[in-house]
Amino acid sequence: MLHLLMDKSLFVVLVVAVGLLALVVAIFFARSKPLSGIRLVTNYAPNLILGHLVHMGPNVIDGMKRLCVESADENGRAQFYLTNKLAVSVLRSEDVKKVLVSSNYRSSLPILTKHMVQFLGKKSLVLLMNEEWKLHRRLLRSSFYHEDLFSSMMADVSGVVNQLIKYQTARIQASTTSSLSLDVLSMNKKITLDIIGLSAFNYRFNSVNRDDKEEVASAFQFIQDEYSRRFHEEPLNPFALMYFLPTKRNKRHKQCRHVVRSTLHQMIRKKREELVLASQTGSQVHEDLLKHIVKSFDEEHPNSDKEHVDNEIVDELVTFLFAGFDTTSIVLSYALYEISRRPEVEQGLLNESSKVLGNRTAVTYDDYTKLEYTQAVLREVLRVYPPAPLTTRTLTQDLVLGEGNCEVTLPAKTTVYIPIWWVHRSKWNWQSPETFDPSRFSVVGKGNHGEPLKDVKPYAW
């Protein structure tokens, strides 16, 4: 009996081994032929199954440098294999513009899509394509452009920052030690979350006034951390995809997801009731982003089931919370890092704020438009440290890049990588790109590198 079991086990192992070998051979021989006129990455050998994808990790910025910068030809282009399919990367702003204008489609990566759906929802803007993407983008874009919203938002910003100052001042005064440590990124996440909560949903997280986390904030942080763990840290772990298994992490993920989404559903229903009441009585509705999103979606889908519409709105609100919460806190942290290293920048900011604000602590939208140097500093932070370091497009038709001897045709269905981090640091797009210099974004006169805002190349930033 033991002998038979061993024979069967050996047979199964052999079948699996032969199957894997056949898969490897099939992937290898099905590889696309390299495109002419673009340098193929040769200094980093492709994996038989994953291609050059193995060189993208564990740090995506370093991975992009290897494949998209170090391997680029004289036109800033490179091509490499993702599994058995060719992908092309571009660095020049002229190429970036042509790619982004020609296509808003991104072919989906099944593993990424699986995790994104669990995190953001099926109707998240980052997962939609073609006409549906255009519709949601139009509805969301129109929701942002309201003067009253900007004024209300600036009041929320001032209120949260003043709360933080009071809380940290009291903490310092109560301390018995000569120094206190402060986690800047954590602090900025609290600031960002509170501002988004107020200006987007009229919801008070009160994060800056506490060392622990409010229930919705804690739940959102957990599902965000789970997304990062499952996709970025354990992408080849099959169990990371099995959200249906009754594990401790999966149960908590389901619970936290419910907390976030049910809270947003309640906010939407309450906001819609306020809008209906306002239309009947003329009462005022609090000025926030949710007010305009609900109005836009309801006007676009007047006869649709409200539960279906609300599910779409919730997906977009979670996406907005994720995008604003993470990216803004990162940019603020890098800004403080650069300011701490550059006394002249700090002094310039202090001089401008003193001139514009005087002794006032509340900042208005009109004040913001006058803080030109402050805006230049933030633009330079965004150039040097873009919070979204990479994007891709899948071409829906043939695309010609360059002219004359530099001309090359990319066929339809080609995936094009745009390494934003390195586009912002490319010698083809900027003078002295590694130098941190806010004056390149000066709106008056020319900066040290001759690149005032009006002369910044389109799609280089």
Side-chain angles (χ1 to χ4, degrees):
M1 179 65 70
L2 181 61
H3 178 70
L4 289 174
L5 288 174
M6 290 179 65
D7 285 347
K8 288 182 179 179
S9 298
L10 180 61
F11 176 74
V12 171
V13 170
L14 287 174
V15 169
V16 172
V18 170
L20 289 174
L21 179 61
L23 177 63
V24 171
V25 171
I27 291 176
F28 180 78
F29 284 102
R31 273 188 180 164
S32 307
K33 292 183 178 180
L35 302 174
S36 60
I38 301 178
R39 180 181 296 166
L40 177 68
V41 173
T42 56
N43 46 337
Y44 296 100
N47 179 278
L48 282 175
I49 297 178
L50 298 177
H52 291 99
L53 194 60
V54 294
H55 301 294
M56 284 294 284
N59 183 307
V60 69
I61 292 174
D62 291 339
M64 288 188 297
K65 183 177 183 180
R66 286 189 284 269
L67 299 183
C68 307
V69 181
E70 294 176 4
S71 305
D73 58 24
E74 63 276 8
N75 297 306
R77 304 165 191 153
Q79 59 179 321
F80 42 87
Y81 286 103
L82 301 178
T83 63
N84 64 340
K85 301 294 184 183
L86 271 175
V88 172
S89 66
V90 295
L91 289 173
R92 286 180 179 267
S93 61
E94 296 86 354
D95 287 350
V96 172
K97 178 180 180 179
K98 284 189 175 182
V99 171
L100 293 179
V101 170
S102 70
S103 175
N104 56 46
Y105 176 69
R106 301 176 302 279
S107 59
S108 61
L109 184 64
I111 294 177
L112 174 60
T113 300
K114 173 76 173 179
H115 293 307
M116 293 289 272
V117 168
Q118 287 292 328
F119 181 22
L120 305 177
K122 294 180 180 179
K123 296 298 182 179
S124 165
L125 186 67
V126 298
L127 293 173
L128 298 179
M129 298 295 167
N130 301 323
E131 294 305 314
E132 196 170 19
W133 176 84
K134 291 179 181 178
L135 172 61
H136 275 237
R137 187 175 184 274
R138 175 173 60 80
L139 295 177
L140 293 172
R141 184 180 176 85
S142 66
S143 301
F144 278 89
Y145 290 93
H146 295 273
E147 187 174 342
D148 292 340
L149 179 60
F150 287 129
S151 299
S152 176
M153 188 180 298
M154 294 308 299
D156 293 333
V157 170
S158 295
V160 170
V161 171
N162 287 328
Q163 285 180 24
L164 175 70
I165 292 172
K166 290 180 181 178
Y167 178 74
Q168 293 296 342
T169 300
R171 183 168 172 254
I172 293 171
Q173 292 173 345
S175 175
T176 57
T177 61
S178 58
S179 63
L180 280 176
S181 62
L182 179 64
D183 185 330
V184 173
L185 180 59
S186 176
M187 177 191 72
N188 285 331
K189 284 187 174 182
K190 290 181 177 183
I191 294 172
T192 304
L193 188 64
D194 281 3
I195 292 173
I196 291 176
L198 287 171
S199 60
F201 321 126
N202 193 27
Y203 186 87
R204 295 188 179 276
F205 289 108
N206 289 322
S207 298
V208 298
N209 292 330
R210 53 199 295 174
D211 293 324
D212 60 343
K213 289 180 179 175
E214 185 268 349
E215 182 187 20
V216 178
S218 178
F220 179 77
Q221 185 67 63
F222 179 80
I223 58 177
Q224 182 181 14
D225 291 344
E226 276 295 280
Y227 164 74
S228 296
R229 180 185 71 84
R230 293 175 190 242
F231 179 66
H232 294 291
E233 298 172 21
E234 303 176 12
L236 299 180
N237 179 2
F239 293 103
L241 291 165
M242 301 179 184
Y243 289 87
F244 58 86
L245 292 177
T247 63
K248 185 177 180 180
R249 278 186 175 275
N250 282 348
K251 288 180 179 178
R252 188 179 175 194
H253 185 277
K254 183 178 181 180
Q255 178 187 14
C256 290
R257 194 172 186 269
H258 174 73
V259 168
V260 173
R261 298 182 73 85
S262 62
T263 302
L264 292 175
H265 270 287
Q266 292 172 17
M267 293 179 187
I268 293 169
R269 286 194 291 269
K270 181 180 178 182
K271 186 63 64 177
R272 186 176 284 116
E273 290 171 0
E274 292 175 3
L275 288 168
V276 171
L277 181 63
S279 66
Q280 296 171 346
T281 64
S283 59
Q284 294 295 314
V285 179
H286 182 270
E287 193 64 33
D288 54 35
L289 184 64
L290 183 57
K291 165 188 171 181
H292 298 288
I293 290 179
V294 170
K295 285 179 65 176
S296 295
F297 273 77
D298 282 357
E299 289 170 2
E300 184 68 30
H301 308 287
N303 301 317
S304 298
D305 175 59
K306 284 294 182 276
E307 183 177 355
H308 173 75
V309 174
D310 288 359
N311 284 332
E312 291 194 3
I313 296 176
V314 166
D315 290 350
E316 298 298 9
L317 293 180
V318 174
T319 303
F320 175 72
L321 188 59
F322 165 61
F325 171 66
D326 216 38
T327 56
T328 306
S329 57
I330 290 172
V331 170
L332 286 174
S333 298
Y334 274 125
L336 291 175
Y337 166 70
E338 287 292 350
I339 292 168
S340 70
R341 298 173 63 215
R342 306 176 189 281
E344 73 283 2
V345 173
E346 179 181 10
Q347 192 59 52
L349 292 169
L350 290 172
N351 291 343
E352 183 176 68
S353 64
S354 177
K355 178 181 178 181
V356 174
L357 300 177
N359 296 323
R360 290 184 291 116
T361 57
V363 182
T364 66
Y365 183 70
D366 183 57
D367 293 330
Y368 165 75
T369 62
K370 297 175 183 177
L371 295 171
E372 295 179 356
Y373 183 69
T374 302
Q375 293 182 50
V377 170
L378 290 175
R379 286 191 177 102
E380 181 68 346
V381 171
L382 284 166
R383 184 191 70 82
V384 180
Y385 306 104
L390 169 71
T391 190
T392 65
R393 289 293 187 273
T394 303
L395 300 181
T396 54
Q397 57 188 356
D398 292 356
L399 178 66
V400 177
L401 297 180
E403 298 176 352
N405 295 332
C406 300
E407 184 178 301
V408 63
T409 300
L410 305 183
K413 299 184 180 180
T414 299
T415 295
V416 183
Y417 271 60
I418 301 173
I420 299 171
W421 184 278
W422 296 109
V423 169
H424 286 192
R425 294 166 179 247
S426 172
K427 62 184 180 182
W428 285 296
N429 304 322
W430 304 92
Q431 294 184 40
S432 304
E434 296 300 326
T435 301
F436 183 88
D437 180 19
S439 70
R440 71 173 84 243
F441 287 104
S442 172
V443 294
V444 180
K446 286 184 176 291
N448 293 339
H449 301 293
E451 295 158 345
L453 186 59
K454 65 178 185 299
D455 289 339
V456 170
K457 291 183 178 180
Y459 295 85
W461 177 81

